[in-house]
Amino acid sequence: MRYSRLFIPTLKEAPAEAEAISHKLMVRAGYVRQLAAGLYIYLPLGQRVMAKINQIIREEMNAIGGQEVTMPVLNPAEVWQQTGRWDAIGDEMFRLKDRGGRDMCMAMTHEETMTWLAAHDLRSYRELPQIWYQVQTKLRDEARPKSGVLRTREFTMKDSYSFDRDDEGLDKSYQLHLEAYKKIYSRCGIKFYVVQSDTGMMGGSMAHEYMAPSPAGEDEVALCDACGYAANVELALSVPKTPNFPDGKYEEVATPEKRTIDEVTRFLKLTPDLFIKSILVMSDEGPVLALVRGDQTLHEKKLAKLIGPHRPAQKDEVKAALGVPAGFIGPMAHKIRKIADPSLRDGVYVAGANKEGYHVKGVKAGREFEAEFADIHAAVAGDACVQCGKPLRIERVIEVGNIFKLGTKYSAPLKANYLDENGAERPIVMGSYGIGPARIAAAAVEQGNDENGIIWPLAIAPYQVMVLPVNVNDGASMDAAEELYAALEEKGFEVLIDDRDERAGIKFKDADLIGIPWRVIIGEKNLKEGVVELKDRKTGVVAKVKVANAVEEIARKLVMEA
Ligand code: ATP
Ligand code: MG
């Protein structure tokens, strides 16, 4: 392709609201444009990157027996009503009515329609297993569409669905996806972790997420470098360090006007890990008292898994439920459900005295209070790994994909059954598997960039090589460039020739910005000596190559890297 013909509207400045590096660079380098909040146009370069990612995904999905289909984006409400998600999902779903007044929605995922198809057209155990996938548009009215293409309201997803006779079959389909996904992200050239994850709105029994490390990510994972334990912090288990407890005498202390852990620790000159934080929340089942150590944070999602949706209680609700003013709640003697983090099982603590202006020392689980124990604290760096005891680290990540064991959560309500060998009807056992190709692209940019622009992994770069004649008005340079360009294309490589009559500085700047992995620079002086320069965008290393060997040398580099 000729640069002069290619639409690459590069910009000097990134959009004012852009924070993520990938957002800034993909806009500046002319890959995408934002039409409205969370709605992106893919420009020619961006389109090529997406096509490459999708091609890798298709190859790996086909390799595990996946069959590509396409589901409608516009869905009738009925299928979503049958699974209960029409009501369960709130504002995130775009809804509309057709001209006949019938409720419709824009599919935000396709479990319903895929299962509908299975219900209608899979009959016998002989037809199982099946893996169906698509690379299709999804719409979600995201609360905070931001960070460029990382979280948009319309995006492409590769979603696949497995249909098996039983759990054993599902295990196999799940395993196939687990491995195929590793190949996909590896081939795309991004760094990633596979972590245990929450089953969330998908339901089901087991789930993993594929997480690309990046400060632009909205998720956090807990990782153990010693044993490989890796989990989303939403469910990561960890053992906090045990403090040195003072003696255990039960004793009331006056703490006038000292309500927060911070205020009380300073007043009593004790470290926060010697306190119990008593947090009252309001759930559908009524008030619940959550207890964590003073140095810990209650993890809302961990608690939600135990008690469902909830919110912090207001001051008057605390007074009404416990008869205690907020700031002085202790875990003792309340008749409501109490859930304590396991770190409170041993040791003696300071807690609220359930009396205005007082705290108590010497509070011990099983003695001063009873509670259910469940891990509800947020894992932090330095906590010990539950598997091996070594310290965990916490890293920010972008979720680039996930896999779920669904079981019969969708096949049961939609009656996707099959007949087994004995003619008995059984529900199909399903899995669901998603990938966000745009997030792979953005993660690649987050992980591959410098102050001058993008550094693409070779496999998903819009072009592999750029041929850059410094002076297009020099006949010899242009001849050599055209020859090289033709020869490389002949070999099947994707080549961009910068045939623009621009100053060298501008051409180099643009080349750095758009981030093509290899560049052949054809300068008049070098050419007179029979050489061209081969530059590696990633390392910046420049090698002089004889003109006669250039094609072979470049071909060797490209094949070596692939
Ligand atoms: P998140 O927690 O980030 O909102 P999700 O759990 O809602 O993601 P899924 O519904 O499982 O995501 O979708 C599968 C994949 O689709 C995700 O792993 C992600 O790569 C991608 N994806 C999800 N939402 C978006 C979005 N708004 N924009 C771009 N890609 C997305
Ligand atoms: Mg989401």
Side-chain angles (χ1 to χ4, degrees):
M1 185 68 191
R2 291 174 189 282
Y3 202 126
S4 62
R5 303 301 317 138
L6 189 55
F7 179 51
I8 315 179
T10 58
L11 300 173
K12 278 217 173 60
E13 301 289 337
E17 76 282 5
E19 281 172 23
I21 290 171
S22 56
H23 186 187
K24 290 181 189 169
L25 285 177
M26 287 173 84
V27 173
R28 274 194 58 212
Y31 283 79
V32 296
R33 283 293 181 268
Q34 181 181 299
L35 173 66
L39 297 175
Y40 274 83
I41 297 164
Y42 282 84
L43 302 173
L45 288 183
Q47 190 67 23
R48 286 183 71 93
V49 171
M50 293 300 281
K52 289 202 158 173
I53 294 170
N54 292 339
Q55 177 61 22
I56 290 171
I57 292 173
R58 286 191 165 97
E59 285 170 17
E60 296 301 335
M61 288 310 300
N62 294 341
I64 59 167
Q67 304 160 73
E68 187 166 357
V69 297
T70 302
M71 292 283 143
V73 175
L74 185 60
N75 284 190
E78 285 79 19
V79 276
W80 290 82
Q81 283 159 348
Q82 281 169 44
T83 62
R85 289 211 287 187
W86 180 261
D87 293 319
I89 296 171
D91 292 341
E92 210 179 331
M93 189 189 274
F94 281 107
R95 298 165 207 250
L96 67 162
K97 287 191 193 293
D98 69 8
R99 61 170 74 200
R102 280 173 290 266
D103 280 323
M104 313 283 287
C105 68
M106 306 305 281
M108 42 189 295
T109 172
H110 279 95
E111 278 77 16
E112 275 75 3
T113 49
M114 286 276 185
T115 313
W116 180 96
L117 180 63
H120 280 76
D121 288 283
L122 289 177
R123 309 221 176 287
S124 152
Y125 70 93
R126 285 191 208 89
E127 294 164 310
L128 302 177
Q130 294 282 335
I131 294 174
W132 300 339
Y133 78 93
Q134 60 177 345
V135 180
Q136 172 66 308
T137 300
K138 304 279 186 273
L139 285 116
R140 295 182 183 182
D141 201 354
E142 296 276 358
R144 280 172 296 279
K146 60 170 199 175
S147 308
V149 300
L150 281 171
R151 184 173 298 284
T152 53
R153 297 197 292 172
E154 179 175 319
F155 61 98
T156 301
M157 192 196 290
K158 186 291 296 177
D159 44 329
S160 50
Y161 304 84
S162 63
F163 304 88
D164 279 280
R165 304 172 57 175
D166 48 26
D167 287 343
E168 211 182 309
L170 172 58
D171 283 347
K172 281 189 193 140
S173 296
Y174 191 85
Q175 197 59 34
L176 284 174
H177 277 88
L178 195 88
E179 295 303 324
Y181 273 37
K182 287 185 193 162
K183 287 187 188 154
I184 289 167
Y185 301 114
S186 301
R187 282 185 61 190
C188 286
I190 61 168
K191 197 174 162 224
F192 66 97
Y193 305 119
V194 188
V195 309
Q196 292 173 25
S197 76
D198 193 8
T199 46
M201 91 167 184
M202 294 293 178
S205 59
M206 185 194 248
H208 285 88
E209 285 166 330
Y210 292 75
M211 301 296 216
S214 157
E218 291 183 41
D219 283 284
E220 278 182 341
V221 292
L223 302 163
C224 176
D225 293 327
C227 75
Y229 178 75
N232 192 312
V233 288
E234 289 173 5
L235 53 71
L237 301 175
S238 75
V239 186
K241 288 192 196 82
T242 312
N244 292 321
F245 295 106
D247 68 29
K249 206 157 69 52
Y250 188 81
E251 169 187 13
E252 212 171 69
V253 284
T255 51
E257 297 307 315
K258 307 285 182 285
R259 289 164 194 271
T260 65
I261 291 286
D262 204 37
E263 287 164 354
V264 188
T265 50
R266 256 185 287 151
F267 183 69
L268 296 178
K269 298 193 173 56
L270 291 169
T271 48
D273 52 2
L274 297 174
F275 286 77
I276 295 176
K277 227 191 269 185
S278 309
I279 304 154
L280 188 73
V281 300
M282 307 305 280
S283 75
D284 292 346
E285 60 176 75
V288 176
L289 192 61
L291 307 169
V292 295
R293 229 169 58 182
D295 61 327
Q296 295 172 347
T297 327
L298 171 66
H299 199 299
E300 197 202 314
K301 288 211 174 152
K302 285 184 174 177
L303 186 61
K305 247 185 289 175
L306 301 168
I307 66 167
H310 61 273
R311 59 170 177 82
Q314 312 276 340
K315 278 194 181 136
D316 52 327
E317 287 169 328
V318 172
K319 188 86 192 172
L322 307 176
V324 178
F328 300 99
I329 314 171
M332 304 77 71
H334 303 299
K335 293 268 171 307
I336 59 168
R337 187 170 177 195
K338 286 181 266 180
I339 302 175
D341 190 76
S343 52
L344 297 176
R345 226 189 265 274
D346 302 313
V348 286
Y349 290 93
V350 181
N354 289 330
K355 184 165 121 188
E356 174 130 34
Y358 286 90
H359 278 74
V360 280
K361 287 180 172 176
V363 176
K364 199 167 163 39
R367 193 175 71 186
E368 275 73 33
F369 72 96
E370 300 290 340
E372 295 165 46
F373 285 95
D375 185 316
I376 51 171
H377 71 273
V380 294
D383 279 359
C385 170
V386 279
Q387 284 187 172
C388 74
K390 293 274 156 46
L392 292 174
R393 71 194 167 84
I394 307 284
E395 199 166 341
R396 215 156 238 291
V397 290
I398 297 167
E399 181 195 318
V400 288
N402 54 30
I403 57 179
F404 292 93
K405 283 190 182 174
L406 297 176
T408 58
K409 185 174 152 83
Y410 296 90
S411 49
L414 288 166
K415 300 188 178 59
N417 298 325
Y418 71 96
L419 296 176
D420 70 11
E421 292 96 323
N422 307 315
E425 199 166 71
R426 294 170 176 281
I428 297 175
V429 181
M430 290 177 56
S432 134
Y433 317 86
I435 291 184
R439 288 200 186 166
I440 296 182
V445 177
E446 290 290 334
Q447 295 176 358
N449 67 76
D450 61 16
E451 64 281 9
N452 300 318
I454 301 173
I455 305 171
W456 286 110
L458 184 65
I460 63 171
Y463 293 91
Q464 298 165 319
V465 200
M466 189 155 175
V467 173
L468 196 156
V470 178
N471 177 6
V472 295
N473 300 312
D474 174 53
S477 293
M478 257 340 255
D479 287 349
E482 291 286 358
E483 213 171 294
L484 207 55
Y485 172 55
L488 286 168
E489 285 225 313
E490 174 77 16
K491 279 199 180 286
F493 297 117
E494 293 154 318
V495 194
L496 180 62
I497 179 169
D498 191 349
D499 56 343
R500 295 174 303 164
D501 186 5
E502 287 281 5
R503 281 191 291 118
I506 289 178
K507 293 171 85 155
F508 289 143
K509 251 203 165 77
D510 283 340
D512 278 344
L513 182 59
I514 65 177
I516 313 290
W518 291 97
R519 188 184 314 168
V520 195
I521 303 153
I522 298 156
E524 287 173 67
K525 217 171 115 220
N526 276 329
L527 202 57
K528 286 200 182 101
E529 288 161 23
V531 295
V532 292
E533 284 178 339
L534 182 54
K535 183 169 180 180
D536 181 345
R537 173 70 183 89
K538 185 152 78 197
T539 60
V541 171
V542 179
K544 286 197 177 172
V545 188
K546 285 210 180 89
V547 177
N549 302 341
V551 173
E552 224 162 283
E553 187 63 21
I554 296 162
R556 206 171 57 81
K557 288 241 173 353
L558 292 176
V559 173
M560 235 166 52
E561 248 190 59

